[in-house]
Amino acid sequence: MKLTVNGIEQEIFSPPLTPLLHVLRDELDVTSPKAGCQQGGCGTCTVLIDGEPRRSCLTAVAAVDGSEITTLEGLGEPEQLSPVQAAFHERYAAQCGFCTPGMVVAATALIERKGGPVERDEVLEALGGHYCRCTGYVKIVDAVMAASRGQTGAREDEPETGEEAPVMIPGSPA
Amino acid sequence: MAKHRGRGFATIEYPTGMNQNGDPSQAWIKLKPDGRVDVFSGTVDIGQGSKTVHTQIVADALGVPYDWVTMDNTNTDSSAVCTGTFASRGTFIGGNAVRLAAERVRERIIDIASKELEIDPSDLEIENGEVIAKGAPQKKIGIPDVAGAATYNYGELISGSSTALKPFADVDDSTGQVEIEPHSAISYAACVADVVVDDETGEVVVEKLVQVYDVGRAINPTLVEGQIEGGAIMGLGLGLTENSYPYYPSPENRGGEFGAYLGPALHDLPELDNVIIENPSEDGPFGAKAIGEMANNAQPPAIATAIFDAVGVWVTEMPATPERVLEALEAKREPRRDGKRVIFDEHISVRTVSSNGGEGFLGVDA
Ligand code: FES
Ligand code: FES
C-alpha cells in the first residue's frame, strides 16, 4: 500500500485493517492526529483524505490506499503558520491543545470548501463533532471566522479605536 | 405542555490555592551571561496559561522585556518543586514563587550594577532591561552588561530562588480554632443563567450565562477570559449532562468509554457574557488571586435556580437531566409518600371532627 502524507509518498507495511490513525502515529511518526476516543466521537484524530476531513481512527488504511493525506504538519511551519493556525495562535483558541489538530484540519477544509468568509452556524456544523474540554469553544469559533476573513497577523489585543487603552504592566506581552 | 423560561443566579466564594496542607511551590531563576533570564519553576502549564502568566510576572518583577525570559518547566526531575496545578493555585502560589525569586535576582543585579556604576544600590532602579540612576537617567548600564560583568569579572552567577508556602494550618483540638487562616485569598464570583425548560420532555436548554469573576488582578485578561469561558462550559456540563457517579472516585468503575460521558459540544454553547472584576489581594503577585477551578462552580446552582424559576420545582441533584426534571415535575403534580400516592391538601381536605369534639373517648381530653 502507498499513501502520500503531507506531500511525501510513503510505502505502508502495517496490516491492511490497521486504523489510519495508528499508521500515521506509529508507523510514520506523524503524531499531530491524536488518539482521543478511538470510536469516532471526539474528532481530534481528523485528517484530510484527498481534501476531505475524515476520522482516521475509524478508517482502515487499506480503504484509502493511494490517497493523499494531509495532517496538521502539512499545513504550516512553526515560523510560517497557515491562516487557520495563525488565527488559533493569535486568538488563544488552544489551551491544552489536544483537540487543536482536528479542529484546525477540519476548519481548514471548511474554509477551503467555502472559499470565503464562513458564518457562525457553518462553523457549528463543521466542528460540531469535535470535542474540546478546555476552551468552551468561544475562541475556536472566533478564530475560524477570523481566518476565513483573512484577519490574521494583526495584534489581537490592540485597543479598538475609541476604546481606552488598557493599563498594562510593563513587560507584558499584551 | 409548554416551554417555560426562567432566570436564576448563584454566587460563590472560592479559597484561592490550597494551603491547609502546607503545600509549597518553588522557583529558581538565573541570568545567562548575555542577560537573558532562565526560570525553573515547578508549576506545569496544562493549557491554562501559567507559563505565560509566570513569564509576565518575572518580566515585570525584574524590569526586563517579556521575550528575554525563558520559562523552563520541561521536566519534573530538574525543576523546582510545585505541589501541583490544581485548586486555582498556579497564579497565586506558583506566581508568588517566581515573583519572590525574581525580586532576589533583581537585588543581585542592582548590587553588581552599583559596583559598575559606583552608585549606591538604593539610588538605582531597573527599567526595560537597564539599570538606571534615579533622577539621572543618562547614568545607566544594560542588564546584559551587568550579567557579563558578574560572569567574567566578579565570578558570580546571578540567581535567586524562592518558595511560596503557607504553613500547615493546625487545628487546636481544645478550641477547634486554627492559628493561621487556612487560605490566602478569597475570590468571589456570580453567575446568572437564562434557561428554557420543556415540561413535556424535561429538557433544559441554557441560552445565556452572565459570569462575573473577581480575580484580584487580571495579569493576562485574555487568558482569564479563556478560563471563564472554559469553566462556563464545564459548569454547563455539570449542571445538565455530566455525571461520574456512582463510579467516582473509584477508577476501577469509571465509565467504560468516551461516549458514555456527556460533555457539552459546540451546539450546546450558550451566549456568554463575561465580566472580570479586579479586587486586588494584598498577598498575590501584583494583586492577583485566582481563576482556574473556581470557574466551573457557579453554573450548576444558577441553572438549578433558573429551572425553579421556570417551572417551580427544585432539582436537588445535579446534573439536571430530563429524567430528574420530569421526576420533580411529577412529584409536584402527584406527591408520593413511601412510593404510594398519598394526597393531603389543606385547601381541599375537609376537616373531620366528631360531633361532640371527641368527648367520651378514652384518653382524650375534651
Ligand atoms: S480518536 Fe477518532 S474521533 Fe476520537
Ligand atoms: S484545548 Fe484542550 S481539549 Fe481543546
Side-chain angles (χ1 to χ4, degrees):
Chain A
M1 290 177 292
K2 276 194 170 49
L3 292 176
T4 305
V5 178
N6 298 326
I8 299 170
E9 205 182 72
Q10 306 272 11
E11 184 94 25
I12 304 301
F13 299 100
S14 300
L17 292 184
T18 313
L20 175 61
L21 173 66
H22 298 305
V23 172
L24 291 169
R25 290 184 57 87
D26 302 338
E27 186 177 337
L28 302 178
D29 222 9
V30 175
T31 54
S32 76
K34 299 283 178 277
C37 63
Q38 302 187 68
Q39 52 178 232
C42 73
T44 188
C45 65
T46 303
V47 300
L48 301 181
I49 302 179
D50 294 328
E52 289 297 317
R54 291 284 179 265
R55 314 225 143 174
S56 63
C57 67
L58 295 185
T59 307
V61 61
V64 295
D65 187 11
S67 306
E68 298 243 355
I69 312 288
T70 308
T71 68
L72 190 80
E73 288 90 341
L75 299 179
E77 297 284 321
E79 294 309 315
Q80 189 144 25
L81 299 177
S82 78
V84 178
Q85 289 173 321
F88 268 62
H89 176 62
E90 286 157 16
R91 287 165 196 269
Y92 289 64
Q95 285 189 27
C96 80
F98 199 80
C99 69
T100 314
M103 294 273 189
V104 168
V105 164
T108 303
L110 166 69
I111 293 172
E112 232 147 69
R113 199 162 53 232
K114 183 82 190 291
V118 298
E119 300 308 326
R120 196 185 146 79
D121 50 342
E122 294 172 302
V123 182
L124 257 56
E125 178 68 34
L127 300 183
H130 288 251
Y131 188 76
C132 177
R133 177 81 287 194
C134 307
T135 61
Y137 303 102
V138 182
K139 298 196 191 310
I140 293 176
V141 177
D142 285 354
V144 177
M145 290 176 67
S148 76
R149 286 166 177 75
Q151 293 162 353
T152 56
R155 287 305 299 254
E156 210 243 314
D157 24 38
E158 266 170 25
E160 282 162 30
T161 32
E163 199 183 311
E164 217 177 287
V167 187
M168 289 297 169
I169 304 171
S172 298
Chain B
M1 298 292 157
K3 294 194 172 183
H4 305 267
R5 281 177 186 281
R7 170 173 290 176
F9 81 95
T11 55
I12 58 160
E13 60 160 39
Y14 192 91
T16 294
M18 205 163 93
N19 303 301
Q20 69 272 39
N21 295 323
D23 51 343
S25 279
Q26 301 176 327
W28 176 59
I29 301 178
K30 72 172 180 67
L31 245 53
K32 285 197 170 86
D34 67 354
R36 296 300 195 261
V37 184
D38 292 333
V39 186
F40 302 87
S41 97
T43 309
V44 174
D45 194 335
I46 52 172
Q48 81 280 33
S50 63
K51 205 169 167 181
T52 307
V53 166
H54 286 189
T55 307
Q56 284 180 258
I57 291 172
V58 170
D60 297 346
L62 272 182
V64 301
Y66 176 83
D67 52 10
W68 285 19
V69 181
T70 303
M71 186 67 58
D72 182 339
N73 45 26
T74 46
N75 78 80
T76 48
D77 191 15
S78 63
S79 267
V81 163
C82 169
T83 308
T85 299
F86 59 89
S88 302
R89 64 192 296 288
T91 299
F92 189 89
I93 297 179
N96 260 339
V98 292
R99 176 178 65 95
L100 292 166
E103 280 171 6
R104 291 189 179 148
V105 170
R106 186 189 173 96
E107 272 171 34
R108 291 305 303 140
I109 293 172
I110 288 191
D111 279 349
I112 292 191
S114 135
K115 291 186 202 164
E116 291 288 288
L117 292 171
E118 297 178 345
I119 299 173
D120 192 76
S122 61
D123 292 328
L124 293 174
E125 58 189 359
I126 304 183
E127 230 174 69
N128 210 20
E130 290 179 324
V131 187
I132 300 172
K134 289 180 193 161
Q138 71 285 2
K139 287 194 188 144
K140 61 182 179 186
I141 178 170
I143 288 181
D145 294 329
V146 177
T151 312
Y152 300 113
N153 303 346
Y154 300 99
E156 189 187 326
L157 170 63
I158 297 183
S159 72
S161 64
S162 176
T163 299
L165 170 71
K166 181 134 181 172
F168 184 76
D170 244 336
V171 181
D172 184 329
D173 280 341
S174 55
T175 63
Q177 302 289 314
V178 282
E179 263 175 40
I180 2 177
E181 287 284 333
H183 55 76
S184 301
I186 297 280
S187 298
Y188 302 93
C191 175
V192 181
D194 282 348
V195 304
V196 176
V197 184
D198 186 324
D199 66 9
E200 194 172 358
T201 64
E203 196 193 1
V204 178
V205 174
V206 174
E207 294 198 320
K208 182 171 180 178
L209 292 172
V210 182
Q211 314 200 85
V212 186
Y213 281 89
D214 154 33
V215 301
R217 176 86 191 258
I219 289 179
N220 188 316
T222 312
L223 287 175
V224 169
E225 190 183 51
Q227 292 297 295
I228 294 178
E229 290 165 354
I233 303 309
M234 286 191 197
L236 179 72
L238 297 175
L240 294 184
T241 56
E242 292 180 38
N243 197 356
S244 52
Y245 288 96
Y247 311 119
Y248 182 84
S250 166
E252 295 94 63
N253 297 326
R254 73 176 149 224
E257 54 179 53
F258 181 82
Y261 187 88
L262 293 177
L266 243 177
H267 286 93
D268 304 309
L269 181 63
E271 183 188 342
L272 297 181
D273 193 350
N274 309 317
V275 183
I276 300 169
I277 291 185
E278 292 194 319
N279 176 24
S281 118
E282 277 182 21
D283 313 312
F286 300 98
K289 292 181 196 168
I291 178 73
E293 206 170 298
M294 70 182 277
N296 65 9
N297 283 216
Q299 298 83 7
I303 291 169
T305 49
I307 293 172
F308 178 78
D309 187 41
V311 289
V313 296
W314 287 107
V315 178
T316 51
E317 211 179 320
M318 295 279 106
T321 55
E323 292 82 5
R324 286 186 178 147
V325 173
L326 286 181
E327 242 169 56
L329 285 167
E330 175 72 15
K332 187 184 166 199
R333 260 192 300 274
E334 285 192 356
R336 282 169 187 262
R337 193 192 305 158
D338 295 340
K340 307 285 175 256
R341 194 182 295 179
V342 179
I343 298 175
F344 169 73
D345 182 332
E346 58 179 357
H347 300 297
I348 59 168
S349 294
V350 181
R351 192 171 158 80
T352 320
V353 291
S354 61
S355 54
N356 60 0
E359 202 176 338
F361 279 88
L362 289 177
V364 175
D365 292 330

